[in-house]
PDB file of all heavy atoms in Angstrom:
ATOM      1  N   ARG A 415     -14.769  35.130 -11.685  1.00 93.00           N
ATOM      2  CA  ARG A 415     -14.186  36.231 -12.453  1.00 93.00           C
ATOM      3  C   ARG A 415     -13.064  36.940 -11.709  1.00 93.00           C
ATOM      4  O   ARG A 415     -12.196  37.566 -12.334  1.00 93.00           O
ATOM      5  CB  ARG A 415     -15.277  37.243 -12.834  1.00 93.00           C
ATOM      6  CG  ARG A 415     -16.372  36.649 -13.715  1.00 93.00           C
ATOM      7  CD  ARG A 415     -17.421  37.671 -14.073  1.00 93.00           C
ATOM      8  NE  ARG A 415     -18.522  37.071 -14.803  1.00 93.00           N
ATOM      9  CZ  ARG A 415     -18.526  36.841 -16.116  1.00 93.00           C
ATOM     10  NH1 ARG A 415     -17.472  37.206 -16.841  1.00 93.00           N
ATOM     11  NH2 ARG A 415     -19.562  36.288 -16.714  1.00 93.00           N
ATOM     12  N   ASN A 416     -13.067  36.875 -10.378  1.00 95.00           N
ATOM     13  CA  ASN A 416     -12.007  37.522  -9.596  1.00 95.00           C
ATOM     14  C   ASN A 416     -10.949  36.530  -9.132  1.00 95.00           C
ATOM     15  O   ASN A 416     -10.207  36.788  -8.195  1.00 95.00           O
ATOM     16  CB  ASN A 416     -12.612  38.253  -8.394  1.00 95.00           C
ATOM     17  CG  ASN A 416     -13.347  37.309  -7.455  1.00 95.00           C
ATOM     18  OD1 ASN A 416     -13.503  36.126  -7.759  1.00 95.00           O
ATOM     19  ND2 ASN A 416     -13.799  37.822  -6.322  1.00 95.00           N
ATOM     20  N   GLY A 417     -10.876  35.384  -9.788  1.00 96.00           N
ATOM     21  CA  GLY A 417      -9.872  34.388  -9.452  1.00 96.00           C
ATOM     22  C   GLY A 417     -10.307  33.477  -8.322  1.00 96.00           C
ATOM     23  O   GLY A 417     -11.474  33.430  -7.937  1.00 96.00           O
ATOM     24  N   SER A 418      -9.335  32.743  -7.787  1.00 97.00           N
ATOM     25  CA  SER A 418      -9.608  31.755  -6.741  1.00 97.00           C
ATOM     26  C   SER A 418      -9.083  32.248  -5.405  1.00 97.00           C
ATOM     27  O   SER A 418      -8.013  32.872  -5.336  1.00 97.00           O
ATOM     28  CB  SER A 418      -8.942  30.423  -7.088  1.00 97.00           C
ATOM     29  OG  SER A 418      -8.991  29.532  -5.988  1.00 97.00           O
ATOM     30  N   GLU A 419      -9.833  31.958  -4.351  1.00 98.00           N
ATOM     31  CA  GLU A 419      -9.434  32.346  -2.997  1.00 98.00           C
ATOM     32  C   GLU A 419      -8.856  31.172  -2.201  1.00 98.00           C
ATOM     33  O   GLU A 419      -8.639  31.286  -1.001  1.00 98.00           O
ATOM     34  CB  GLU A 419     -10.641  32.932  -2.254  1.00 98.00           C
ATOM     35  CG  GLU A 419     -11.105  34.269  -2.789  1.00 98.00           C
ATOM     36  CD  GLU A 419     -11.803  34.161  -4.145  1.00 98.00           C
ATOM     37  OE1 GLU A 419     -12.515  33.156  -4.367  1.00 98.00           O
ATOM     38  OE2 GLU A 419     -11.628  35.080  -4.979  1.00 98.00           O
ATOM     39  N   ARG A 420      -8.608  30.050  -2.858  1.00 98.00           N
ATOM     40  CA  ARG A 420      -7.961  28.926  -2.187  1.00 98.00           C
ATOM     41  C   ARG A 420      -6.452  28.996  -2.401  1.00 98.00           C
ATOM     42  O   ARG A 420      -5.983  29.346  -3.485  1.00 98.00           O
ATOM     43  CB  ARG A 420      -8.481  27.595  -2.722  1.00 98.00           C
ATOM     44  CG  ARG A 420      -9.920  27.293  -2.359  1.00 98.00           C
ATOM     45  CD  ARG A 420     -10.318  25.920  -2.855  1.00 98.00           C
ATOM     46  NE  ARG A 420     -10.195  25.809  -4.301  1.00 98.00           N
ATOM     47  CZ  ARG A 420     -10.195  24.664  -4.981  1.00 98.00           C
ATOM     48  NH1 ARG A 420     -10.296  23.520  -4.330  1.00 98.00           N
ATOM     49  NH2 ARG A 420     -10.092  24.656  -6.295  1.00 98.00           N
ATOM     50  N   MET A 421      -5.686  28.643  -1.378  1.00 98.00           N
ATOM     51  CA  MET A 421      -4.231  28.627  -1.520  1.00 98.00           C
ATOM     52  C   MET A 421      -3.820  27.595  -2.558  1.00 98.00           C
ATOM     53  O   MET A 421      -4.259  26.443  -2.493  1.00 98.00           O
ATOM     54  CB  MET A 421      -3.573  28.300  -0.175  1.00 98.00           C
ATOM     55  CG  MET A 421      -2.058  28.382  -0.210  1.00 98.00           C
ATOM     56  SD  MET A 421      -1.287  27.911   1.357  1.00 98.00           S
ATOM     57  CE  MET A 421      -1.499  26.130   1.333  1.00 98.00           C
ATOM     58  N   PRO A 422      -2.977  27.962  -3.526  1.00 98.00           N
ATOM     59  CA  PRO A 422      -2.490  26.959  -4.474  1.00 98.00           C
ATOM     60  C   PRO A 422      -1.560  25.967  -3.772  1.00 98.00           C
ATOM     61  O   PRO A 422      -0.889  26.301  -2.791  1.00 98.00           O
ATOM     62  CB  PRO A 422      -1.728  27.799  -5.514  1.00 98.00           C
ATOM     63  CG  PRO A 422      -1.338  29.046  -4.781  1.00 98.00           C
ATOM     64  CD  PRO A 422      -2.426  29.299  -3.785  1.00 98.00           C
ATOM     65  N   ILE A 423      -1.545  24.744  -4.254  1.00 97.00           N
ATOM     66  CA  ILE A 423      -0.666  23.698  -3.732  1.00 97.00           C
ATOM     67  C   ILE A 423      -0.092  22.937  -4.924  1.00 97.00           C
ATOM     68  O   ILE A 423      -0.562  23.071  -6.055  1.00 97.00           O
ATOM     69  CB  ILE A 423      -1.414  22.747  -2.773  1.00 97.00           C
ATOM     70  CG1 ILE A 423      -2.675  22.178  -3.445  1.00 97.00           C
ATOM     71  CG2 ILE A 423      -1.776  23.461  -1.477  1.00 97.00           C
ATOM     72  CD1 ILE A 423      -3.475  21.222  -2.562  1.00 97.00           C
ATOM     73  N   ILE A 424       0.929  22.130  -4.682  1.00 96.00           N
ATOM     74  CA  ILE A 424       1.558  21.370  -5.773  1.00 96.00           C
ATOM     75  C   ILE A 424       1.290  19.881  -5.589  1.00 96.00           C
ATOM     76  O   ILE A 424       0.624  19.249  -6.385  1.00 96.00           O
ATOM     77  CB  ILE A 424       3.078  21.650  -5.839  1.00 96.00           C
ATOM     78  CG1 ILE A 424       3.338  23.144  -6.092  1.00 96.00           C
ATOM     79  CG2 ILE A 424       3.718  20.815  -6.957  1.00 96.00           C
ATOM     80  CD1 ILE A 424       4.809  23.512  -6.053  1.00 96.00           C
ATOM     81  N   ARG A 425       1.838  19.303  -4.527  1.00 93.00           N
ATOM     82  CA  ARG A 425       1.656  17.867  -4.262  1.00 93.00           C
ATOM     83  C   ARG A 425       1.599  17.670  -2.752  1.00 93.00           C
ATOM     84  O   ARG A 425       2.620  17.479  -2.102  1.00 93.00           O
ATOM     85  CB  ARG A 425       2.797  17.058  -4.886  1.00 93.00           C
ATOM     86  CG  ARG A 425       2.832  15.567  -4.491  1.00 93.00           C
ATOM     87  CD  ARG A 425       1.601  14.833  -4.966  1.00 93.00           C
ATOM     88  NE  ARG A 425       1.714  13.402  -4.746  1.00 93.00           N
ATOM     89  CZ  ARG A 425       1.331  12.755  -3.626  1.00 93.00           C
ATOM     90  NH1 ARG A 425       0.841  13.431  -2.607  1.00 93.00           N
ATOM     91  NH2 ARG A 425       1.459  11.457  -3.534  1.00 93.00           N
ATOM     92  N   PRO A 426       0.414  17.771  -2.151  1.00 93.00           N
ATOM     93  CA  PRO A 426       0.326  17.713  -0.692  1.00 93.00           C
ATOM     94  C   PRO A 426       0.340  16.291  -0.153  1.00 93.00           C
ATOM     95  O   PRO A 426      -0.012  15.339  -0.843  1.00 93.00           O
ATOM     96  CB  PRO A 426      -1.025  18.378  -0.420  1.00 93.00           C
ATOM     97  CG  PRO A 426      -1.845  18.053  -1.628  1.00 93.00           C
ATOM     98  CD  PRO A 426      -0.888  18.053  -2.791  1.00 93.00           C
ATOM     99  N   SER A 427       0.765  16.178   1.095  1.00 94.00           N
ATOM    100  CA  SER A 427       0.655  14.922   1.834  1.00 94.00           C
ATOM    101  C   SER A 427       0.432  15.285   3.301  1.00 94.00           C
ATOM    102  O   SER A 427       1.201  14.925   4.179  1.00 94.00           O
ATOM    103  CB  SER A 427       1.916  14.072   1.674  1.00 94.00           C
ATOM    104  OG  SER A 427       1.785  12.841   2.356  1.00 94.00           O
ATOM    105  N   TRP A 428      -0.651  16.009   3.547  1.00 97.00           N
ATOM    106  CA  TRP A 428      -0.943  16.595   4.860  1.00 97.00           C
ATOM    107  C   TRP A 428      -2.071  15.816   5.515  1.00 97.00           C
ATOM    108  O   TRP A 428      -3.026  15.415   4.850  1.00 97.00           O
ATOM    109  CB  TRP A 428      -1.358  18.050   4.671  1.00 97.00           C
ATOM    110  CG  TRP A 428      -1.731  18.791   5.925  1.00 97.00           C
ATOM    111  CD1 TRP A 428      -0.931  19.600   6.672  1.00 97.00           C
ATOM    112  CD2 TRP A 428      -3.018  18.820   6.556  1.00 97.00           C
ATOM    113  NE1 TRP A 428      -1.638  20.121   7.735  1.00 97.00           N
ATOM    114  CE2 TRP A 428      -2.921  19.653   7.690  1.00 97.00           C
ATOM    115  CE3 TRP A 428      -4.247  18.216   6.286  1.00 97.00           C
ATOM    116  CZ2 TRP A 428      -4.003  19.900   8.542  1.00 97.00           C
ATOM    117  CZ3 TRP A 428      -5.322  18.443   7.129  1.00 97.00           C
ATOM    118  CH2 TRP A 428      -5.188  19.287   8.241  1.00 97.00           C
ATOM    119  N   GLY A 429      -1.984  15.640   6.826  1.00 96.00           N
ATOM    120  CA  GLY A 429      -3.075  15.008   7.543  1.00 96.00           C
ATOM    121  C   GLY A 429      -2.689  14.676   8.966  1.00 96.00           C
ATOM    122  O   GLY A 429      -1.615  14.121   9.208  1.00 96.00           O
ATOM    123  N   PRO A 430      -3.517  14.999   9.953  1.00 97.00           N
ATOM    124  CA  PRO A 430      -3.221  14.675  11.343  1.00 97.00           C
ATOM    125  C   PRO A 430      -3.793  13.318  11.741  1.00 97.00           C
ATOM    126  O   PRO A 430      -4.800  12.858  11.207  1.00 97.00           O
ATOM    127  CB  PRO A 430      -3.943  15.795  12.104  1.00 97.00           C
ATOM    128  CG  PRO A 430      -5.116  16.131  11.215  1.00 97.00           C
ATOM    129  CD  PRO A 430      -4.683  15.879   9.803  1.00 97.00           C
TER     130      PRO A 430
END
Side-chain angles (χ1 to χ4, degrees):
R415 299 180 185 277
N416 61 354
S418 170
E419 291 72 36
R420 291 184 300 165
M421 185 183 74
I423 54 180
I424 300 175
R425 171 63 173 89
S427 182
W428 178 96

